[in-house]
Amino acid sequence: MSPVLAGVLQLLALIAALGLAYRPLGDHMARVYSSDKHLRVEKWIYKGIGANPNAEMRWPAYLRGVLAFSAVSVVFLYLLQRVQGSLPGSLGFASIDPDQAFNTAASFVANTNWQSYYGEQAMGHVVQTGGLAVQNFVSAAVGIAVAVALVRGFARSRTGELGNFWADLVRGTVRILLPIAVIGALVLVACGAIQNFSGIHEVGQFTGGTQQWNGGAVASQEVIKELGTNGGGYFNANSAHPFENPNGLSNLFEIFLILVIPFALTRTFGRMVGSLKQGYAILATMATIWLGFTALMMWTEFHHGGPAFDLAGGAMEGKETRFGIGGSSLFAVATTLTSTGAVNSFHSSFTGFGGGITMLGMQLGEIAPGGVGSGLYGMLIMAVIAVFIAGLMVGRTPEYLGKKIGTREIKFAACYILVTPALVLCFTAASFALDTPANSMTNSGAHGFSEILYAFTSGANNNGSAFAGLNADTQWFNSTIGIAMLLGRFLPMVFVLALAGSLAEQRPVPETAGTLRTEKPLFTGLLVGTIMIIAGLTYFPALALGPLAEGLAA
């Protein structure tokens, strides 16, 4: 079978699996967040944290819950790393340095999972399972909770109440993420991923000598890092490591885990606002961009010219032979169009245009389908802006889902889309203006520029993948990328929840003959165009200095 045909068949199998899961999972999540009943285990959790799950919250109270929980999580994870050397199951590893502990704590709480360390050489079992894996669950649940709050803002009227953050957090963890993660971990173990708490072993090498490897609860952490669009990896080689991702079947399953909740949330959205067609319109927008990026990535990686590429069947540099170009391209697009950050190949070794596609995927805001929760609320923000643009074209007050998009709403939406580009471009410029960050670059010219641009794009967009070739384990990068991750995660949430509160207070606007039909293909096209134009105007000058210049030179 040719590599191209194998890649196409993998894509078709993935689409079929996502299609089968779309309806039951989307409906289940809608029931979870619409139910007024609490499971017994949930009641125990509420009692333990002193929360009243039945108390409705306005957006400032909901936001305070998000920020308070996340702040406590950062402090806890930071302290856990700082005392690692005194903990049981540390495997003899020392405590983590302050700047790296801050960076890692910010990374995992912000659902980024950027790692400037070698996982198998730095983190013991307690930190990996009791710290990092726990944050993989709860940070994903926070993202879904914020998205559901925005959906309630569209669905409700004449009230500023958006639900209860603590109830949404607990339900998302207990009823959605945990059950799927248990089943997924069993599948990965069956595929060959490891799951243990063994110590360090001396392993012989084919070329002579030995190498040290430690075990770990890898399968359980692997499944939630993909399912929660967290990213990161138990080992430095990430999802290219055979302990994490043993074969082509596990690779396809992990891609499925990355995409299944973000896509299914569009049906949850349709259910909760009372119009499945509106959910299908958002789904069509996400799917159009995802399929377009996947096709472009496969084309540039399979058909890049040159004798070496022809002999290898395409651009195989930096890719695992277990997965091939097709499996690597699918994984790269899935992980950079969501906020996952896990990698099964090195994006820095992709062709110039291929590396640019991964970077642009993040710069769109990771909304196709995006991270768990963050993809949906990011896409709804873009829908608000698209409706506003359409209203300007025809001279009509813009409306979306029966809510007027006035001055207040568009200000919140505009602030949302400006935060991340400002963080990316300002920190990238500062890194080139100073001497110390430049010393971390192992490549010069356009590729070196791409390395730093990619790092801050990944951090501020809460992706977590790295372009490789950049030594980010320095005080400058640990501190600035840590700040970018926190601001890139929580500042947009402020504007999302403020917008949700504003929408929930409105009276519904009756539909008329002049109302823009936002469930039609025309609106889907308008939304795709709006997303591409905004991203292009924002990032094209920077992309022209990096991946575009490198691709044209090749």
Side-chain angles (χ1 to χ4, degrees), residues 40 94 189 195 261 292 336 375 462 529:
R40 181 176 297 179
V189 169
Q195 181 76 10
I261 290 181
T336 51
N462 303 130

Side-chain angles (χ1 to χ4, degrees), residues 98-445:
D99 59 308
Q100 191 171 78
F102 162 72
N103 180 276
T104 304
S107 176
F108 278 76
V109 173
N111 198 246
T112 310
N113 294 37
W114 169 273
Q115 295 171 291
S116 60
Y117 59 89
Y118 296 92
E120 67 270 33
Q121 299 177 17
M123 301 295 184
H125 293 321
V126 173
V127 174
Q128 289 275 22
T129 57
L132 306 185
V134 169
Q135 287 305 315
N136 285 347
F137 280 97
V138 294
S139 65
V142 168
I144 303 177
V146 173
V148 168
L150 179 58
V151 172
R152 291 191 185 117
F154 284 109
R156 297 180 177 183
S157 60
R158 288 174 286 188
T159 177
E161 296 174 343
L162 301 175
N164 184 285
F165 167 70
W166 304 107
D168 292 339
L169 172 68
V170 171
R171 288 180 178 184
T173 303
V174 172
R175 301 192 198 182
I176 299 171
L177 297 173
L178 269 171
I180 302 175
V182 170
I183 297 171
L186 294 175
V187 173
L188 288 181
V189 169
C191 288
I194 67 169
Q195 181 76 10
N196 56 55
F197 289 102
S198 69
I200 298 176
H201 301 274
E202 291 283 343
V203 181
Q205 296 177 307
F206 289 112
T207 56
T210 61
Q211 185 175 4
Q212 290 186 335
W213 284 108
N214 57 279
V218 175
S220 57
Q221 188 162 333
E222 185 77 12
V223 68
I224 188 55
K225 86 171 188 181
E226 313 294 16
L227 181 66
T229 60
N230 296 279
Y234 210 101
F235 300 99
N236 183 55
N238 208 282
S239 293
H241 198 291
F243 287 177
E244 293 192 24
N245 192 2
N247 50 53
L249 179 60
S250 65
N251 186 66
L252 197 61
F253 180 64
E254 290 184 14
I255 300 171
F256 169 79
L257 289 174
I258 292 171
L259 299 171
V260 65
I261 290 181
F263 273 130
L265 274 172
T266 61
R267 185 172 178 89
T268 304
F269 162 69
R271 281 286 183 201
M272 294 183 70
V273 299
S275 174
L276 290 177
K277 290 183 178 180
Q278 296 290 346
Y280 293 147
I282 298 299
L283 172 65
T285 304
M286 292 178 172
T288 298
I289 296 174
W290 174 64
L291 286 171
F293 271 59
T294 300
L296 284 173
M297 180 64 82
M298 285 191 173
W299 174 79
T300 188
E301 296 303 302
F302 272 119
H303 298 291
H304 195 78
F309 295 107
D310 293 338
L311 289 173
M316 277 297 295
E317 182 184 351
K319 300 178 178 68
E320 268 286 338
T321 55
R322 286 176 292 134
F323 312 134
I325 293 174
S328 299
S329 298
L330 280 172
F331 204 106
V333 171
T335 195
T336 51
L337 280 176
T338 62
S339 64
T340 310
V343 295
N344 73 347
S345 55
F346 285 98
H347 297 173
S348 180
S349 297
F350 278 39
T351 63
F353 288 131
I357 290 169
T358 62
M359 203 180 305
L360 181 59
M362 294 184 291
Q363 291 169 347
L364 293 182
E366 295 180 310
I367 53 178
V372 167
S374 61
L376 179 61
Y377 66 66
M379 183 60 79
L380 292 178
I381 292 288
M382 297 306 297
V384 166
I385 294 174
V387 166
F388 180 75
I389 293 173
L392 292 178
M393 290 178 178
V394 299
R396 177 183 170 85
T397 302
E399 303 165 9
Y400 186 54
L401 299 178
K403 301 296 178 71
K404 289 187 176 180
I405 308 302
T407 303
R408 185 182 183 190
E409 289 76 22
I410 203 63
K411 284 181 179 178
F412 290 142
C415 289
Y416 175 93
I417 65 172
L418 289 173
V419 168
T420 305
L423 292 171
V424 172
L425 298 177
C426 289
F427 277 124
T428 299
S431 296
F432 279 98
L434 301 174
D435 293 331
T436 303
N439 294 334
S440 297
M441 297 166 52
T442 56
N443 293 286
S444 59

Side-chain angles (χ1 to χ4, degrees), residues 79-97:
L79 293 176
L80 192 66
Q81 295 174 83
R82 295 290 294 134
V83 300
Q84 175 180 248
S86 304
L87 296 174
S90 65
L91 301 177
F93 297 142
S95 298
I96 307 301
D97 293 336

